[in-house]
Amino acid sequence: MSLGAGKLRERVTFEKRSDDTRDALGSQTSAWVEHATVWAQRIPGKGDEVPVTGQLAVQVDETFVVRHRTDLLETMRLVWRGAAHEIVALSPDVKREFITVQCTKGIRDGR
């Protein structure tokens, strides 16, 4: 994949779940915490209406391309322009220069 740095013009943040968070009462709770913020290329996808609990909800599939990293997991979520996206797949290219991040937004909003 040939992708110049000029194509990486969107800032995205990868977040991971932290079970070390305490609420106001001191109880352990799970929260999303920032893992890494990187430059990405956004490739717009398609949107669909899907039935969820008897109603129609909008689901948008999007793809982002980031420079290769070894610390990304599919259990994380990607946040772009304040919207959380569930990571569906991480696909590194053959040369391990970039990772294609396939995401969905709208139904589970990054879990």
Side-chain angles (χ1 to χ4, degrees):
M1 172 185 279
S2 177
L3 186 67
K7 299 249 185 202
L8 304 175
R9 45 182 170 245
E10 299 289 341
R11 290 298 269 176
V12 298
T13 300
F14 289 92
E15 294 182 339
K16 62 183 177 181
R17 277 230 190 254
S18 172
D19 293 326
D20 298 332
T21 307
R22 302 267 177 200
D23 65 13
L25 299 175
S27 299
Q28 188 172 2
T29 184
S30 181
W32 290 102
V33 295
E34 185 175 319
H35 176 72
T37 299
V38 299
W39 290 102
Q41 176 188 19
R42 177 180 167 260
I43 302 168
K46 62 181 179 87
D48 288 322
E49 289 184 340
V50 293
V52 176
T53 62
Q55 297 180 0
L56 288 179
V58 176
Q59 175 178 318
V60 178
D61 297 327
E62 298 196 79
T63 301
F64 295 87
V65 179
V66 300
R67 292 199 185 279
H68 189 271
R69 300 177 61 104
T70 58
D71 60 344
L72 300 180
L73 303 170
E74 290 177 356
T75 56
M76 295 177 174
R77 72 179 183 179
L78 180 145
V79 178
W80 174 66
R81 295 186 178 178
H85 294 68
E86 178 184 351
I87 296 176
V88 176
L90 297 169
S91 306
D93 67 349
V94 177
K95 294 182 180 180
R96 295 190 176 267
E97 293 177 335
F98 299 96
I99 296 178
T100 300
V101 184
Q102 296 171 324
C103 302
T104 187
K105 176 183 81 141
I107 294 183
R108 293 172 27 177
D109 287 334
R111 289 175 234 159

